[in-house]
Amino acid sequence: PIARVDMNDRVYKTARAKYNAVIEEVEKLVAQGRPVLVGTTSVEISELVSKMLKLRKIPHNVLNAKLHQKEADIVAQAGKSGTVTIATNMAGRGTDIKLTPESKAAGGLAIIGTERHESRRIDRQLRGRSGRQGDPGSSVFFVSFEDSLMRLFGSDRIVGVMDRLGLQENEMMEHRQISNSIERAQKKVEENNFGIRKRLLEYDDVMNSQREVI
């Protein structure tokens, strides 16, 4: 059975507040002796998070899906107590993150997503890196209203609600309803992408029938 705890998304008003919160969360988890895997949607975000961690003098590894063998080695070590690994979604996949007894006792691998991906499948793959074989662990996504996916589903409405509630830039909102809205936005994007692929195949069929005739 899965022992991983999947938490609701933590929503911030601005990207700056979101990244500050990510760094604070990493710092807190490292102090607890837990290994941390920070998942990002692009190389630029990986490098930004890496710079912020350097400023706080938190040692970490960055994986960008460029150096496959070296990355597999880093991922294999990513379950050690207090180890911080930043990875783009494609980096180091297919390598099991084995926990040491110390990191298991501390609560297992903590997954931090810095943004929701357009595809739910990729978010689930990131979550699924923790909690292998019934290991303990946790996963949480940090989201801001400046993220591209949030813009897609009309985040202005929720920003309006936040303003009315008097929420400050660095205050966090955590609500199942927001997580559900994000998943609906992801679903819309996925359906759109599916439509594009379907249309492409239909065009391809036309080309094929012409080829056969010729």
Side-chain angles (χ1 to χ4, degrees):
I2 293 176
R4 185 185 68 240
V5 179
D6 295 329
M7 292 176 265
N8 280 338
D9 296 356
R10 295 182 189 173
V11 184
Y12 291 84
K13 208 165 167 181
T14 65
R16 185 178 60 183
K18 175 184 79 170
Y19 290 119
N20 285 336
V22 166
I23 302 303
E24 274 165 30
E25 183 73 3
V26 170
E27 214 165 12
K28 192 178 86 185
L29 292 162
V30 169
Q32 291 169 8
R34 289 183 66 183
V36 183
L37 178 70
V38 182
T40 65
T41 51
S42 70
V43 174
E44 296 82 60
I45 294 171
S46 291
E47 283 165 1
L48 169 74
V49 174
S50 172
K51 265 184 202 150
M52 291 175 83
L53 287 173
K54 271 181 195 145
L55 288 172
R56 296 273 183 110
K57 296 188 169 50
I58 300 170
H60 60 279
N61 292 309
V62 184
L63 312 183
N64 288 330
K66 289 176 188 167
L67 314 157
H68 302 296
Q69 187 47 53
K70 191 178 163 213
E71 291 190 358
D73 297 340
I74 292 173
V75 171
Q77 303 300 314
K80 286 183 177 168
S81 182
T83 305
V84 179
T85 312
I86 303 171
T88 53
N89 288 322
M90 297 305 290
R93 287 206 310 203
T95 309
D96 260 352
I97 298 178
K98 292 186 178 67
L99 300 179
T100 62
E102 301 84 62
S103 53
K104 235 179 215 180
L109 177 65
I111 301 284
I112 295 178
T114 56
E115 196 175 331
R116 284 293 206 136
H117 195 273
E118 283 186 352
S119 161
R120 286 169 301 170
R121 178 177 61 89
I122 291 174
D123 284 350
R124 286 198 286 263
Q125 279 178 349
L126 177 61
R127 282 196 202 273
R129 288 180 171 205
S130 172
R132 68 181 268 290
Q133 313 283 325
D135 280 346
S138 66
S139 73
V140 64
F141 281 91
F142 284 75
V143 178
S144 89
F145 289 113
E146 293 175 352
D147 295 352
S148 52
L149 186 75
M150 293 294 269
R151 287 203 192 112
L152 279 173
F153 83 91
S155 57
D156 306 347
R157 197 180 70 244
I158 298 178
V159 172
V161 172
M162 285 177 95
D163 286 340
R164 279 201 300 280
L165 293 172
L167 278 152
Q168 299 305 307
E169 181 190 12
N170 55 358
E171 280 189 84
M172 184 236 331
M173 248 177 117
E174 190 178 354
H175 202 285
R176 185 77 207 122
Q177 210 175 344
I178 295 178
S179 299
N180 289 343
S181 305
I182 294 166
E183 295 210 345
R184 277 199 299 276
Q186 287 174 312
K187 213 171 168 188
K188 274 185 198 145
V189 175
E190 285 165 20
E191 281 164 7
N192 189 32
N193 291 344
F194 175 77
I196 291 168
R197 291 196 298 275
K198 189 166 175 256
R199 177 72 64 227
L200 196 63
L201 278 172
E202 285 165 3
Y203 280 126
D204 200 42
D205 286 343
V206 174
M207 299 288 281
N208 270 336
S209 23
Q210 289 180 353
R211 269 191 217 103
E212 279 160 17
V213 167
I214 289 165

